[in-house]
């Protein structure tokens, strides 16, 4: 019996048709549910995480589903590097490290698309995550991707114990 943790993010699935096919990067991929989904949808996927256990799980999930992903062990807190002008889409779920945003913006090719969803300040009322630095402020994602074309944006309390903001936005300038 598989747990629901293998199910890709609803926000990713809802917006899959907005993503240009090609090279995808999954930041803080965890056990690979979104990476494997993208691979199943025909993307060339690279996933990064700072947990070897998570990477082992992600590789096992990919194998089980009969797809290939490239999973790399990287601690983004120590090494926030993302290759410039490399990816057609970058996704990130339930992870926030503000120092990464310039690298994310730069990592996308022209017309590349970001899908980002993580917890917002309202999450504090539900408890975890403990560190307020890991919570977005209201409308913050819109500012972090200013200059991008916003295709989708939502923010607020979703479900019973989850307050999130999510954006799908396209890089329209080459820079």
């Amino acid at each position: 019996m598989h747990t629901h943790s293998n199910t890709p993010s609803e926000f990713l699935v809802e917006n899959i048709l907005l993503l240009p096919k090609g090279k995808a990067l999954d930041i803080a991929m965890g056990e690979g549910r979104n990476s494997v989904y993208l691979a199943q949808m025909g993307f060339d996927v690279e996933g990064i995480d700072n947990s070897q256990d998570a990477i082992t799980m992600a590789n096992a999930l990919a194998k089980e589903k009969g797809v290939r992903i490239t999973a790399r062990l990287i601690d983004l807190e120590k090494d926030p590097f993302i290759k410039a002008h490399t990816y057609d889409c970058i996704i990130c779920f339930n992870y926030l490290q503000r120092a990464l945003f310039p690298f994310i913006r730069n990592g996308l090719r022209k017309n590349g698309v970001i899908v980002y969803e993580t917890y917002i300040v309202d999450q504090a009322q539900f408890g975890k995550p403990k560190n307020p630095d890991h919570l977005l402020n209201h409308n913050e994602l819109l500012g972090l991707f200013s200059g991008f074309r916003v295709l989708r944006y939502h923010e607020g309390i979703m479900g019973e114990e989850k307050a999130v903001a999510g954006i799908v936005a396209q890089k329209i300038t080459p820079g």
Side-chain angles (χ1 to χ4, degrees), residues 4-62:
H4 69 283
S5 66
N6 287 348
T7 312
S9 156
E10 205 176 303
F11 189 57
L12 179 60
V13 174
E14 282 167 8
N15 293 298
I16 191 71
L17 296 176
L18 297 174
L19 305 189
K21 283 282 168 68
K23 200 163 174 46
L25 176 65
D26 184 357
I27 294 170
M29 72 188 289
E31 295 175 5
R33 63 195 181 116
N34 293 321
S35 287
V36 167
Y37 171 70
L38 285 176
Q40 289 175 306
M41 299 302 286
F43 290 79
D44 170 14
V45 183
E46 186 180 322
I48 51 182
D49 202 276
N50 68 351
S51 156
Q52 185 57 62
D53 287 348
I55 283 179
T56 302
M57 302 280 285
N59 281 326
L61 181 62

